[in-house]
Amino acid sequence: MSDTPRAGKPRIATCSLAGCFGCHMSLLDIDERIFELAELVEFDRSPIDDKKKFDGRVEIGLIEGGCCNEENVATLREFRRHCDVLVALGDCATMGGAPALRNDIPLAECLREAYLEGPTVHNPERRLPADPELPLLLDRVYPIQEVVPVDVFLPGCPPSAEAIWQALVALIEGRAPELPYELLKYD
Amino acid sequence: MSGSTRRLVIEPVTRVEGHGKVTILLDERQRVREARLHIVEFRGFERFVQGRPFWEVPVLVQRLCGICPVSHHLAASKAMDRIAGVDRLSPTAEKIRRLMHMGQIFQSHALHFFHLASPDLLFGFDADPSVRNVIGVARHHPELARQGVLMRKFGQEVIRATGGKRVHAIVAVPGGVNRSLDPADRERLRAEVPRMMTWAEDAVALARDYTLEHLEQLEEFGSFPSNHLGLVTADGDLELYDGLLRAIGEDGATLFDGVQNERYAELLAEEVRPWSYMKFPFIRSLGPERGWYRVGPLARLNVCRRIPTPRAEQARRAFFDALGGAPCHVTMAYHWARMIETLHAIEQIERLLDDPDIVGDDLLREGERRDEAVGVIEAPRGTLFHHYRVDANDQVVMANLIVSTTSNNEPMNRAVRQVAERHLAGRTEIDDGLLNHVEVAIRAYDPCLSCATHALGRMPLEVELRGADGALLDRRTRD
Ligand code: SF4
């Protein structure tokens, strides 16, 4: 690994793969504490800022969503390479979540339904989307630990803002997060 | 592709998050031959929702989008009300849902304006990207950043108080809701309203001043005449929860009006183009070439005759007085229109919190089961359509969704093309102006590419200039 460790505040990077951005919304649901977080850490690449590439090591990487196409896999591997601690944020990253409902259905059927069958579809040439610009879809949706090793799992759809906050504070302080039951129960 | 064409790739979010990207193909004279916004992800909701019990759908479909989950929750619920045979909810159930919806409009618009778009407006399109983000706003305009965060928080709290959770609510069920508003929550929220009203008015003023100061530049920027579509009441008032479909042409003439939601598929179709997973909706009677339309805040102001709350109505009049009457086609005026709706949302929230029904206990209605239904709602980003068929076992057998951002697909592509033509004319190199301006033009639509899959606003860009043989000729990246 060529990244050199950097002095200063710990860095956090986040990304959304096959997720709905609800986990990112839950992160923003820490409300005013976002300013506190900005004091504690440096934001590295994330959809909420303009940084696009890793240019050094990052202490904490948060991944929302599983992998549904080849590009998700490449992004995930890049995160794993650059992040000391990789966190599976939410049910999609942890076990595929709602997008993995397609795993029991042949992909071709999903595409047919969306682009050939619907009551508003206009597709006289009956062509499915297929273009060099579109990354290849995977046969099914993979949770991230089926692709790379994961250090911390934060279940929930989404995990609550409080759960994310407590886990982040623990990781920033170099501790393993231990969350009380109330922060991990589901609907 | 001829030997002398060149291909530019702009990847907003994509290479990083895998959601969308832009390619621009130049001909031998460096003119734009083709400009495309590709949506590169596909989920398959319409297929995998089949087989699920219909009463589960309003909770499931929220997972299409964590930024506007309430819109999907309510559009599906409205369809499932009808499946359950219920045409009219109890007053309490309808008001709880409306309150949640207004909370959603308020939080989503605040998120977009303050967290995502304000850096462009405050620092300029060409400002240093390292400050052009919400943390930069917090450093240079701390009070404004704080207001933005607290406005979003308030909207999210309205959703939590009504829906049970801030993200992915669990309240609407076919025929009504499963809980009422806790009087303590009502008091707490009510106490916050005056402050939110003031800040919403301030935000309208901020968006107005920005638009009017830069009007000459903005009128040229990614703007073009188009059709517009949205929901209105039978009297033509703005109506975000349960209206009739109205569409107008680029000259403001009515294309259709008073259309019941069930008839949407007679009027609208979606063209499939092989280079994007996002379809291209159009008005059938005009065909795919001329029938495309815009949705969202600007389109809604254009199709309504009035806003039924006083402060937002006053703001609407000021908007059209300043911009030369309806319809307005200035793409960047979306921001101002969005803030007018934010003001409308807080006015509605005030009304609903003051309504005694909001803490009532008559929550559910029943009726005779139907097989097919449509639910349409105005989501923050525009008209959202959910259409389902259900079999005798209560299982979904057909689902069709037209999500808001999809309707803005063609307009976003046009905006990209127009910006590219202006900035690339005769050049052989990519400059930052192209990166920034394409980004700003797409962002005006607040695209929810997660619904259609999803970019959370800030779009880091990378442009590659390639010869037809694939060799890299130039690359510009902004980190
Ligand atoms: S876990 Fe839930 S909230 Fe998070 S991305 Fe997946 S569907 Fe969205």
Side-chain angles (χ1 to χ4, degrees):
Chain A
M1 180 84 297
S2 58
D3 295 343
T4 40
R6 287 178 287 203
K9 297 192 236 177
R11 296 179 157 255
I12 290 191
T14 80
C15 83
S16 173
L17 305 175
C20 78
F21 267 94
C23 289
H24 274 80
M25 288 298 106
S26 205
L27 169 61
L28 286 184
D29 279 338
I30 63 175
D31 300 328
E32 304 94 301
R33 287 176 290 183
I34 193 80
F35 301 124
E36 219 176 299
L37 188 61
E39 293 300 316
L40 291 173
V41 300
E42 203 70 59
F43 277 97
D44 207 274
R45 55 183 276 187
S46 165
I48 66 166
D49 61 33
D50 268 353
K51 188 149 193 311
K52 174 188 166 50
K53 281 186 176 162
F54 288 110
D55 49 16
R57 278 205 85 68
V58 163
E59 279 74 8
I60 303 166
L62 304 178
I63 307 282
E64 169 195 294
C67 294
C68 77
N69 66 28
E70 54 176 1
E71 207 172 64
N72 294 153
V73 172
T75 305
L76 176 60
R77 293 210 167 112
E78 220 194 324
F79 262 74
R80 179 67 279 183
R81 270 202 307 279
H82 288 86
C83 298
D84 293 342
V85 175
L86 199 66
V87 181
L89 182 64
D91 288 350
C92 291
T94 302
M95 53 198 185
L101 283 171
R102 86 157 157 89
N103 287 358
D104 291 337
I105 301 161
L107 183 55
E109 265 186 48
C110 294
L111 290 165
R112 206 179 305 135
E113 190 65 35
Y115 302 105
L116 299 176
E117 304 287 337
T120 46
V121 168
H122 172 81
N123 191 356
E125 292 171 40
R126 297 189 64 79
R127 286 186 303 180
L128 293 174
D131 191 273
E133 306 296 351
L134 302 178
L136 283 179
L137 293 165
L138 304 179
D139 60 332
R140 61 184 190 89
V141 177
Y142 293 82
I144 66 171
Q145 84 272 18
E146 288 187 21
V147 181
V148 298
V150 175
D151 305 301
V152 176
F153 294 89
L154 265 186
C157 181
S160 68
E162 195 55 39
I164 297 174
W165 173 253
Q166 290 199 18
L168 279 180
V169 169
L171 291 170
I172 290 165
E173 291 171 356
R175 293 181 283 118
E178 275 176 45
L179 300 180
Y181 169 76
E182 299 76 60
L183 289 185
L184 292 173
K185 70 184 167 67
Y186 307 107
D187 293 353
Chain B
M1 199 187 288
S2 89
S4 50
T5 54
R6 286 176 154 189
R7 177 174 159 277
L8 301 176
V9 183
I10 305 179
E11 299 209 20
V13 187
T14 15
R15 185 159 299 172
V16 201
E17 268 82 37
H19 292 297
K21 76 173 159 193
V22 172
T23 57
I24 300 164
L25 196 64
L26 304 178
D27 68 13
E28 59 285 352
R29 292 206 211 135
Q30 315 301 334
R31 287 175 312 202
V32 175
R33 178 200 276 188
E34 190 181 271
R36 289 171 170 176
L37 169 65
H38 308 266
I39 299 305
V40 300
E41 291 211 349
F42 171 76
R43 299 268 190 273
F45 262 86
E46 283 145 326
R47 176 59 186 85
F48 67 62
V49 84
Q50 294 176 17
R52 313 299 305 187
F54 78 86
W55 37 262
E56 183 193 88
V57 170
V59 168
L60 175 61
V61 291
Q62 297 182 98
R63 274 72 186 179
L64 281 160
C65 176
I67 299 184
C68 57
V70 170
S71 314
H72 291 289
H73 187 53
L74 292 180
S77 296
K78 286 177 66 182
M80 296 318 176
D81 294 339
R82 287 170 194 142
I83 294 282
V86 177
D87 291 317
R88 216 180 162 72
L89 300 183
S90 75
T92 293
E94 181 173 329
K95 285 168 188 172
I96 293 277
R97 288 195 193 176
R98 282 181 180 270
L99 178 59
M100 179 164 64
H101 189 42
M102 290 302 126
Q104 162 85 351
I105 297 276
F106 195 78
Q107 79 84 15
S108 176
H109 282 2
L111 171 75
H112 182 260
F113 187 72
F114 291 97
H115 296 62
L116 306 176
S118 79
D120 299 327
L121 314 188
L122 296 168
F123 304 130
F125 299 1
D126 300 313
D128 177 358
S130 68
V131 290
R132 285 182 37 193
N133 56 55
V134 68
I135 305 296
V137 178
R139 267 193 205 121
H140 297 273
H141 301 271
E143 181 49 28
L144 197 68
R146 199 177 70 91
Q147 284 177 17
V149 165
L150 292 179
M151 283 172 78
R152 177 179 179 278
K153 176 185 182 178
F154 176 78
Q156 289 289 76
E157 277 299 292
V158 171
I159 295 170
R160 187 203 53 75
T162 46
K165 282 162 70 192
R166 281 181 166 204
V167 179
H168 300 332
I170 43 176
V171 65
V173 292
V177 294
N178 60 19
R179 51 180 279 170
S180 182
L181 186 66
D182 182 332
D185 275 329
R186 179 196 194 181
E187 290 318 308
R188 245 177 6 84
L189 293 171
R190 188 65 187 78
E192 285 282 312
V193 166
R195 188 158 74 139
M196 294 301 144
M197 191 79 77
T198 307
W199 289 351
E201 300 230 56
D202 292 349
V204 172
L206 181 66
R208 176 199 62 209
D209 293 348
Y210 172 79
T211 311
L212 296 180
E213 263 164 45
H214 299 83
L215 192 55
E216 216 169 301
Q217 178 198 349
L218 299 183
E219 275 175 336
E220 295 292 304
F221 184 78
S223 296
F224 36 75
S226 72
N227 307 308
H228 299 271
L229 177 114
L231 293 178
V232 291
T233 65
D235 298 329
D237 284 0
L238 178 75
E239 169 55 53
L240 301 173
Y241 175 73
D242 193 21
L244 303 165
L245 287 163
R246 177 158 204 258
I248 58 167
E250 56 181 65
D251 54 359
T254 302
L255 296 172
F256 52 77
D257 197 6
V259 173
Q260 296 289 342
N261 295 180
E262 287 68 26
R263 292 184 49 217
Y264 84 105
E266 290 168 35
L267 296 159
L268 304 176
E270 305 168 276
E271 189 185 10
V272 177
R273 299 185 196 163
W275 45 268
S276 181
Y277 283 121
M278 187 152 78
K279 288 175 270 193
F280 292 80
F282 62 92
I283 295 164
R284 282 188 197 268
S285 61
L286 298 175
E289 288 293 316
R290 290 178 45 240
W292 57 276
Y293 55 88
R294 291 195 260 191
V295 297
L298 180 65
R300 288 191 288 245
L301 291 201
N302 280 332
V303 300
C304 80
R305 294 194 188 96
R306 201 176 68 113
I307 299 181
T309 53
R311 294 168 199 248
E313 170 59 9
Q314 208 185 349
R316 184 192 71 88
R317 285 168 191 259
F319 177 92
F320 285 116
D321 284 347
L323 297 176
C328 166
H329 295 295
V330 180
T331 291
M332 289 296 282
Y334 263 96
H335 294 293
W336 185 359
R338 198 171 282 121
M339 288 305 98
I340 294 172
E341 288 191 340
T342 309
L343 182 58
H344 171 63
I346 188 67
E347 289 184 288
Q348 292 280 34
I349 288 170
E350 181 179 42
R351 276 184 191 174
L352 287 161
L353 287 173
D354 286 343
D355 191 319
D357 286 338
I358 205 76
V359 288
D361 54 11
D362 175 15
L363 304 180
L364 216 51
R365 291 279 189 269
E366 284 175 22
E368 204 168 311
R369 256 284 258 112
R370 298 183 183 123
D371 297 336
E372 184 167 356
V374 175
V376 183
I377 198 166
E378 284 295 336
R381 291 155 190 83
T383 321
L384 168 66
F385 301 83
H386 279 226
H387 177 191
Y388 302 98
R389 260 202 301 276
V390 175
D391 70 9
N393 297 324
D394 285 355
Q395 286 173 303
V396 174
V397 290
M398 189 285 296
N400 190 43
L401 311 171
I402 306 179
V403 302
S404 321
T405 295
T406 305
S407 289
N408 283 332
N409 199 358
E410 180 66 23
M412 288 192 291
N413 271 277
R414 298 220 169 207
V416 167
R417 184 182 175 109
Q418 208 212 60
V419 169
E421 276 171 352
R422 215 146 275 178
H423 281 267
L424 280 169
R427 290 184 208 207
T428 51
E429 271 183 5
I430 308 154
D431 67 350
D432 272 338
L434 176 72
L435 303 183
N436 294 337
H437 287 73
V438 164
E439 186 178 51
V440 171
I442 295 174
R443 193 174 300 125
Y445 291 91
D446 184 12
C448 194
L449 305 179
S450 186
C451 288
T453 79
H454 208 74
L456 172 50
R458 306 307 304 172
M459 297 189 190
L461 293 184
E462 179 172 310
V463 179
E464 288 181 4
L465 179 60
R466 284 183 186 278
D469 57 355
L472 189 64
L473 302 173
D474 189 15
R475 166 185 271 160
R476 292 292 294 266
T477 307
R478 197 180 55 216
D479 324 279

